[in-house]
Amino acid sequence: RTELVALIDAGCVPGPRWLEQLLAALEGPPPRDVVFGVVRPETGSLFTSCLSTASLPAIRLPNGRKAMSDSVASLLLRRVVWERIGRFVEGCRTGEDVRFVHAIYTSGLVVGRSPEAEVTWEIPRTIRGTFRRLANYSHYSLEAGLASTWHYRVFLYDAAALSLVVLAMFQSAWWLALL
C-alpha cells in the first residue's frame, strides 16, 4: 500500500506530467495534505466552447487562464486524509465528489493547487447528449439531497427567462431581446 491516493474522473485524460506535477505540489514547500490539479473541458467546437462557458464553474489561475473549480477529477491526497475524511459516500451515483471536496475544505487540511497538473474532460458534443447528462446529474443530485449545489440557481434563471417570455407575449417582442 502506498501513502498517497490519486483520483481522476471517468472521461478525463491526464496530461503527460500530471501525476508528477501533483506530487511536486503535495511535497511543497510547504507540504500539503491535498492538491487539486486543473480540469479543462475538451472544447473542439463552438457548441462545446459555449457549453463549457455556460455550465462549468470556473476559477482563474495565477497565469490568468480559466479552469474548472476544484474537483476530484484531478486530485492527489495523502492516504491518512482519505481514511480520515471517510472516502466517498457509498451508493451515490452523483454528488459524492461534491461532498468529498466539501469535507476537504471543512476539515482544516492544508490544501494546494497545481495549475500545471492538467486533465482534459470530455463534455457532450450534442444538445441531446448534454441534456441526457444533465438530466442524470440532476436526478441523482436531487436523490442525494444536493439541490442547493445548482438546482436553485438554475430554477431562478429559468423563472426569470419565463417571465420575460410571458411579458413579450402580452406586451412586445422587444422583451425577448433581454434573453
Side-chain angles (χ1 to χ4, degrees):
R1 277 170 62 119
T2 178
E3 68 177 67
L4 302 176
V5 176
L7 300 175
I8 188 169
D9 221 352
C12 289
V13 178
R17 299 180 60 224
W18 171 73
L19 195 53
E20 180 183 332
Q21 296 290 348
L22 285 173
L23 184 57
L26 189 76
E27 297 303 328
R32 295 172 176 93
D33 300 311
V34 177
V35 173
F36 289 97
V38 172
V39 180
R40 199 168 310 289
E42 187 178 305
T43 56
S45 68
L46 178 61
F47 174 76
T48 56
S49 293
C50 292
L51 177 62
S52 70
T53 300
S55 62
L56 301 175
I59 55 171
R60 186 161 304 278
L61 301 172
N63 62 9
R65 294 174 61 193
K66 283 187 176 180
M68 238 173 91
S69 61
D70 296 337
S71 165
V72 298
S74 180
L75 177 66
L76 183 66
L77 63 148
R78 300 185 189 282
R79 181 171 291 282
V80 293
V81 171
W82 177 251
E83 301 292 341
R84 187 172 82 188
I85 288 179
R87 304 179 180 196
F88 290 135
V89 176
E90 294 291 326
C92 284
R93 292 219 24 195
T94 186
E96 74 285 355
D97 55 341
V98 174
R99 290 178 178 185
F100 191 76
V101 170
H102 179 74
I104 287 171
Y105 278 111
T106 58
S107 296
L109 299 167
V110 180
V111 179
R113 187 176 290 128
S114 177
E116 298 82 21
E118 187 173 301
V119 300
T120 55
W121 181 50
E122 185 179 341
I123 59 176
R125 300 191 181 289
T126 65
I127 292 172
R128 184 179 188 164
T130 301
F131 181 77
R132 188 175 22 247
R133 182 175 286 180
L134 290 176
N136 280 334
Y137 284 168
S138 179
H139 172 80
Y140 292 111
S141 291
L142 288 172
E143 197 174 81
L146 297 171
S148 64
T149 58
W150 60 280
H151 288 84
Y152 297 145
R153 185 177 62 240
V154 170
F155 175 77
L156 290 175
Y157 291 156
D158 290 348
L162 181 60
S163 299
L164 293 174
V165 169
V166 169
L167 281 172
M169 287 172 40
F170 292 105
Q171 297 295 322
S172 164
W174 285 105
W175 283 100
L176 292 176
L178 296 174
L179 292 177

